[in-house]
Amino acid sequence: MVELTIDGVRTTVPRGTTVLEAARSMGIVIPTLCYDPGLTPYGACRLCIVEVVKGKRSSLEASCTLPAFDGQVIVTNSERVKKARKIIIELLLSTCPTSKKLQDLASNFGVNEVRFKIKDKGCILCGLCVRYCKEQMQSGGIGFVGRGTSRRVGTAFGDTPDECRNCGGCEWICPVCERACTADSLMNGLCGGCQNYAPVETCTVCIGCSESVGARGHKVY
Amino acid sequence: MKEVVVGLASCGIAAGGIQVYNKFSELLDAEKDETALKQTGCYGMCFREALVEIIEDSKRRTLYGQVTPERVERIVNEHLRGGKVIEEWIVKEEGQFLAKQKRIVLHNCGKIDPLDIGDYLASGGYQALKKVLSEMAPEQVIAEVARSGLRGRGGGGFPTGRKWESCRNAPSRNGTRYVICNADEGDPGAYMDRSLLEGNPHSVIEGMIIGAYAIGSSQGYVYVRHEYPLAVKNLGVALEQARARGLLGKNILGSNFSFDVKISRGGGAFICGESTALMASLEGKIGEPRPKHIHTTEKGFHGKPTNLNNVETWANVPLIINRGAAWFSSIGTERSKGTKIFSLVGKINNTGLVEVPMGITLREIIYEIGGGIPSGKKFKAVQTGGPSGGCIPERLIDLPVDFDRLTEVGSMMGSGGMIVMDEATCMVDIAKYFVKFLTEESCGKCVPCREGLDRMLDILTDIAGGRGREGDIELLEELGYAIRDTSLCALGGSAPNPVLSTINYFRDEYEAHINERRCPAGVCKELITFTIDKEKCNGCGLCAKNCPQQSITGKKKEAHVIDQTTCIKCGLCRDNCKFDAVVVS
């Protein structure tokens, strides 16, 4: 067993537990996108970052891959963490503007403007489908192709792989593609976040984007 | 007896070294001329390649620079056969170039034949290995390296002795441990590791064998870029020769210690220079990093304790064993010991490979060793540490170069690239260039690095294109700090450095781009126009002749005019004008 402090509360967890699991067992909410209890932690979305305090210095680490150590001091909701999470959500929204899950997250975190160029890729490359296919279905039919901005989920040579058993698990586990926001006006957005804003423009990007429409913002859908 | 030594590292070959070598072998008659023709690695003075050194009676040496096959004949006739030195071809900068350097790791580079183990042995090679195997226990070796204060030369600067110790002490069920040499050098403008592997591969191999003995490993790997064909070839030859002499393989030098090294060629992904990504790639998986909460010294390659060091770090090890930790730690500053190799490139007179003691100032490197900035231009900034290093401005030029001081000013030691920029360099353009490189080379696993850098590039492209908006600088800073804080590995963690450091030191340039739609250095194409000064133009027509767009018109001996509608702003007219009549505004 190891003893650590999360948000000022001391807790004891079995050795090998991650900080994310320890915090969640205490009822602390940490948002995640690429984490699933049944799959190997991957540490790609970086939403679950927490502040690890080491004396006077501190660093941000992804809690899903951070093992709990004795004497660790963790802060899950500091200003630094919140600020970094907001930027990550903003970045994710700019790659996947119609995802309901991301819009909900944005709404929760008070992100109501996307200052970056929208490049709708419909995928946040969280790798859940890849890991699900390999680890749960023992298939490995899909994987990552390419590097950097050209990285995408694909199959070998673009063909339907023999390993694929059409289980649909990849689709099922996907956090962003399951219910895309199809609202044709701000009022009808799925997340509800946009109802806080007066309808200024017709836009499907319902992240409460009254501020993001116009000269500075993204294209109006 | 005379020796003719031709520099045949990549820099020498690029400058026509092979043709020079062939010409020598064609003209020289070994017996009649009593001359031996040899080849060697990089001597550091890449700006004077192809270099030919002539050694008479093993002491009097003459170094000729920029030798071409045409010049070979005169060297053979006048110098080798006539005994008359050709003064005008001698490399005159040699004294100045070497004065401030302390060449210990590079000592044999450019002197010995990398393809002949005999040369390395004759210069005292493999003595350190002999000493270690016959006199020292592994713990003693580690203690010696730890005492020397050697820090990793690949960029991180982690104390090597401590790394070895934790790898040796890490539990391994069947006792398997690996040592790896990281030769995946991918920084633009950096070629320290390549030159070492090309010019003196045995020093790296010897370091690895000593390290393996200290750590208790029996298998080593060199992960080297496939883009370094000569380094791969020379290393392969060196390994074969070492094996043939019993320096690698079973029971090395009659001891109980066995060790061998395999070469693994990387496909050219920059990210594979990161230790965990390198090991993933070595295992045959996608080269992407994993979180390092459990160090690779405990669980690395194939889940076994693995010690990874950079080429230069390994090459330092035999020196420490031979001359002692006290000697090594007498060089350098309090927390950075020894020397560091830099590849000095960019807007500098003496482009090349330099090895300097830690703590030397940037001014000494740039003005004394490097010989200053070409064509009388003013120095503006120097970028250290590869693409993810920072730009250090002129006012900090007296900064002593060591791990901690470079980090303090927002840059880093990195693996040792040093890119010098003059006043005609636009800092926004530079930041854009490096972010573009890193965007392409990011593995794409984590969001801040993949998407963050991409959006950063968008904003920088907008600023450079005259579409910058108020608040863009603040947005870049906010995004930069977030990327640095939240990225998974060191690539993302240091990637915003070029942007953050240029904003920090050259904020006025960003503001000029955004507020005044002006590029002060006259680089960003969308913000500049080329015009011809009527007073200065004498109508020689050289600009019109060189214009690829035929945009320049004018009668002979009369002032010419540039047609702005077809001008592509390539700058060829300015480069060709002998009267400074082409004005950039």
Side-chain angles (χ1 to χ4, degrees), chain B residues 516-581:
Chain B
E516 302 163 36
R517 304 270 184 256
R518 183 172 67 84
C519 176
V523 174
C524 296
K525 280 188 183 173
E526 286 159 80
L527 297 180
I528 53 170
T529 45
F530 286 86
T531 44
I532 293 174
D533 187 342
K534 284 189 180 124
E535 304 289 306
K536 283 183 179 169
C537 178
N538 71 350
C540 70
L542 210 56
C543 52
K545 209 168 142 190
N546 282 293
C547 180
Q549 290 291 98
Q550 274 114 35
S551 301
I552 304 177
T553 46
K555 284 183 187 150
K556 254 197 179 149
K557 289 186 182 170
E558 275 175 35
H560 282 50
V561 186
I562 302 176
D563 179 2
Q564 299 298 340
T565 52
T566 53
C567 173
I568 54 164
K569 294 162 189 174
C570 64
L572 273 175
C573 48
R574 179 183 48 179
D575 296 345
N576 279 298
C577 184
K578 291 192 168 70
F579 308 95
D580 289 329

Side-chain angles (χ1 to χ4, degrees), chain B residues 398-433:
Chain B
D398 286 310
L399 185 87
V401 176
D402 69 20
F403 285 101
D404 309 298
R405 300 302 288 274
L406 285 176
T407 315
E408 270 170 35
V409 298
S411 185
M412 60 183 202
M413 181 73 86
S415 56
M418 202 173 260
I419 303 173
V420 182
M421 300 161 209
D422 66 5
E423 55 188 334
T425 315
C426 169
M427 299 320 277
V428 178
D429 187 60
I430 284 290
K432 195 181 92 182
Y433 169 79

